[in-house]
Amino acid sequence: MDLWFSEYHQEGVKLSINVDREVFSCQSEYHHIALFDSKEFGRILTLDGELINTEKDEFFYSEMMVHVPLAVQPLIRNVLVIGGCDGGVLRELEKYESIETIDVVELDEKVIQVCQKYFPKNQETFSDKRVRLHFQDGLKFVRGKEAAYDLIIVDTANPFGINESLFTREFYGNCYKALREEGTLISQHANGFYEEDEEAFRHIRHRLISVFPINKIYMSSVPSYAAGYLLFGYSAKKANPETDIQVAQWEAQKIHTRYYNPEIHRGAFYLPNYIKELI
Amino acid sequence: MDLWFSEYHQEGVKLSINVDREVFSCQSEYHHIALFDSKEFGRILTLDGELINTEKDEFFYSEMMVHVPLAVQPLIRNVLVIGGCDGGVLRELEKYESIETIDVVELDEKVIQVCQKYFPKNQETFSDKRVRLHFQDGLKFVRGKEAAYDLIIVDTANPFGINESLFTREFYGNCYKALREEGTLISQHANGFYEEDEEAFRHIRHRLISVFPINKIYMSSVPSYAAGYLLFGYSAKKANPETDIQVAQWEAQKIHTRYYNPEIHRGAFYLPNYIKELI
């Protein structure tokens, strides 16, 4: 059998991955969930036909979403993760002994169940005692929270469709209130290469700038994603992630990483001219 | 009509670009040459079915191959380019008034003719008075040259097949002799993500290390290439591209770039752990 999963990066550009089989699929209340096994990318999770992550390169962005803020603020104790169903971001957070609680908010309970069952490597991450799962809308969850978190990670890619409420000024304003005075929000910003993604980038950035005083953009290679990279937003009340990185403190914790290191942390904030022009 | 150009990044991974039409195709003595027009990537050049460059992202790697060495050694006068048929590297080199001669060595005269005709933006670059075209084998051309160049750029991607002689210890040894005492060789190293490319990377690096005392690896995003990025080798007799960058001198020349800047120069040498492990 010759079976290919294809994802459109743009109307006229698609990446196709040869898959051995569909491991599982179902229609939940919110998504069509499907998992595939492939030789090149290992197990692949898709929601509504969109590639969410692959076993082979998920650590690229999971590490960059977690270790960048943790290297700047070693005293992060309470974390809120919105989305992040596959457990990659959780796995990286749990490497820090200093973290006391991790609230994970995901609208679709079924997605979490499926990921727990079919990504065995990340299964344990959900049973860590510090993790509290909340199956509800992210915007509703964060509304009314005050100075409860040191770090919020919004691990959802698409500012349109079902996640739209997680990319509004109201949502970011609530996140600001939910963060303590040294707090940081990390979010995905698509890429700056294709027109649609550039639009998504501007949409997110425009809203974040109206809420947070510090908004830096950083970049990570992600081979399975559109244009081969992802931009992230580092939005903070106080810390500057370029100058405030605590290299010695981070290294003393001996966190094992496969992508992140303090050099790549610095380099990730150095952007090509065509992306600088978007900012 | 629904026409797609597909390139296999690996046996089980392909990138497909929707094309409006085939602009031109022919079989030369060495290659099947074909050009397409596409909405997302503009004009695309392919040789033997492999994507060589696209109008939209060619500047990513052309700039990174040229401005990185030129920012380290502002006194480069004589340059040798092997390959580089599309003119992108030439265009970037010609931005420097200090450069006196550029020898371009390309085996296949037909490829150069086609690129001159069908990439109108780069057409002028070939008629610059400093450019001397040589239609011959790169290995033969460089053999016997002594202290003739300040910079050699090997703008060919694949260490297997027709270009194999350009990735041998003999070729690199000849390049070493052809370079002056401050000389630098820039070469493409594929990527470190897919197994085949990792093999190509090791193949090239192993040979370069046996010839040059300084061998640094740097990275650039290239959305249309396998894994979305390309690794380059900076092999030099003396200069360290990380510490010897002459920022003020480079900036004083007011070179217009769309990707390169001195920050991205520094950041390009900061590599993810999984690539460091290959080195």
Side-chain angles (χ1 to χ4, degrees), chain B residues 45-102:
Chain B
L45 168 68
T46 71
L47 295 181
D48 306 317
E50 264 186 66
L51 186 143
I52 300 299
N53 73 58
T54 83
E55 225 170 5
K56 177 151 178 168
D57 67 358
E58 160 269 310
F59 73 92
F60 286 49
Y61 67 84
S62 296
E63 289 191 11
M64 289 301 276
M65 291 194 93
V66 168
H67 303 300
V68 169
L70 264 298
V72 175
Q73 289 170 263
L75 294 178
I76 286 172
R77 309 224 179 284
N78 308 103
V79 183
L80 169 60
V81 179
I82 294 177
C85 54
D86 63 88
V89 160
L90 270 187
R91 181 195 61 229
E92 297 306 317
L93 285 168
E94 290 166 9
K95 291 177 178 172
Y96 293 85
E97 287 177 14
S98 52
I99 292 178
E100 293 167 5
T101 63
I102 308 169

Side-chain angles (χ1 to χ4, degrees), chain B residues 177-244:
Chain B
K177 280 186 212 140
L179 285 167
R180 302 208 175 97
E181 58 177 333
E182 309 260 338
T184 300
L185 174 80
I186 303 292
S187 58
Q188 295 189 9
H189 274 52
N191 66 64
F193 187 71
Y194 294 117
E195 210 176 310
E196 271 175 35
D197 292 305
E198 197 187 307
E199 199 185 314
F201 175 88
R202 284 183 203 275
H203 176 101
I204 303 166
R205 184 156 171 83
H206 183 242
R207 280 153 188 78
L208 276 167
I209 281 178
S210 70
V211 173
F212 283 86
I214 292 165
N215 292 281
K216 302 281 183 181
I217 298 296
Y218 66 105
M219 189 170 174
S220 171
S221 151
V222 187
S224 67
Y225 278 13
Y229 70 85
L230 193 56
L231 297 173
F232 303 97
Y234 190 107
S235 302
K237 294 192 178 184
K238 279 191 179 168
N240 178 331
E242 293 191 76
T243 50
D244 297 342

